[in-house]
Amino acid sequence: MHIVLMGPPGAGKGTQAKIISEKLHIPHISTGDIFRSNVGAGTTLGNEAKKYLDAGEYVPDSITNGMVRDRLAQADAINGFLLDGYPRTLNQIHELDSMLKSLGQTLDLVIEIVADTDVVVQRLTARAAQEGRSDDGADVMRHRLDVYAEQTAPITKVYGERGLVRQVDGIGTVAEVTDRIMAHL
């Protein structure tokens, strides 16, 4: 299966991505991991991305798209993948369509983990405290969630019009959320 996993920070996306990729025997491909891998390996795209990452800036689509294209062409992704953190823009949707077409593949499903804002803020606040990041207050986290919602609305609209989006409640135990996701797969 070729799946995109979406969800706001704190909804449990990372946890679920690992579980689902293991259950389906497909790689979990996250843009964060791709960036770190390319930067660590000193690839041309990695060196370009590093300039933006070091400056705390958004890595341009041209670099991100190139890294994702390279990753999807690897042997372990031929029979399926779970994308996490991509696409994040309308341009990236079109690029992903192009990548999949060139590989003779199509996107099967977009799973969007949704969660109540107050619960997510509690989770993020607890996570920040555990990680010693006391600068991430509730107001900052609510703003991050608002930005996420604003940025992903056009993406979920496009994929929704294609009939690919399945929303899954991210509140509950890890196993409960996994079961909800698996019911769509």
Side-chain angles (χ1 to χ4, degrees), residues 10-172:
K13 188 176 59 188
T15 299
Q16 292 300 324
K18 290 174 188 165
I19 295 168
I20 301 305
S21 69
E22 286 177 17
K23 284 183 176 283
L24 297 179
H25 306 289
I26 58 175
H28 167 215
I29 300 173
S30 99
T31 50
D33 291 345
I34 292 173
F35 288 156
R36 284 185 288 279
S37 174
N38 276 270
V39 169
T43 68
T44 301
L45 289 173
N47 290 334
E48 290 179 43
K50 187 176 185 325
K51 296 173 193 173
Y52 294 95
L53 295 169
D54 288 349
E57 296 177 12
Y58 178 75
V59 177
D61 282 354
S62 58
I63 297 170
T64 303
N65 291 339
M67 288 183 182
V68 171
R69 183 178 298 277
D70 290 347
R71 180 62 184 91
L72 293 184
Q74 292 179 15
D76 69 333
I78 290 173
N79 293 320
F81 54 76
L82 180 95
L83 276 175
D84 170 5
Y86 186 92
R88 287 192 179 189
T89 66
L90 293 176
N91 177 49
Q92 289 178 357
I93 288 176
H94 301 304
E95 283 297 316
L96 179 59
D97 289 344
S98 172
M99 291 175 210
L100 293 174
K101 184 176 182 180
S102 71
L103 295 168
Q105 302 170 346
T106 58
L107 191 61
D108 295 303
L109 198 59
V110 176
I111 298 287
E112 181 182 21
I113 300 176
V114 295
D116 178 76
T117 300
D118 291 335
V119 174
V120 171
V121 168
Q122 288 174 349
R123 285 181 183 174
L124 291 172
T125 303
R127 183 189 306 168
Q130 287 175 338
E131 295 174 0
R133 294 176 10 214
S134 58
D135 57 322
D136 281 350
D139 290 340
V140 170
M141 291 181 197
R142 285 184 191 283
H143 177 71
R144 286 176 53 203
L145 293 170
D146 289 343
V147 168
Y148 170 81
E150 181 181 310
Q151 290 176 344
T152 58
I155 295 166
T156 55
K157 181 177 188 244
V158 168
Y159 283 138
E161 289 170 352
R162 295 180 186 182
L164 295 174
V165 177
R166 303 296 181 275
Q167 288 190 331
V168 174
D169 183 0
I171 305 302

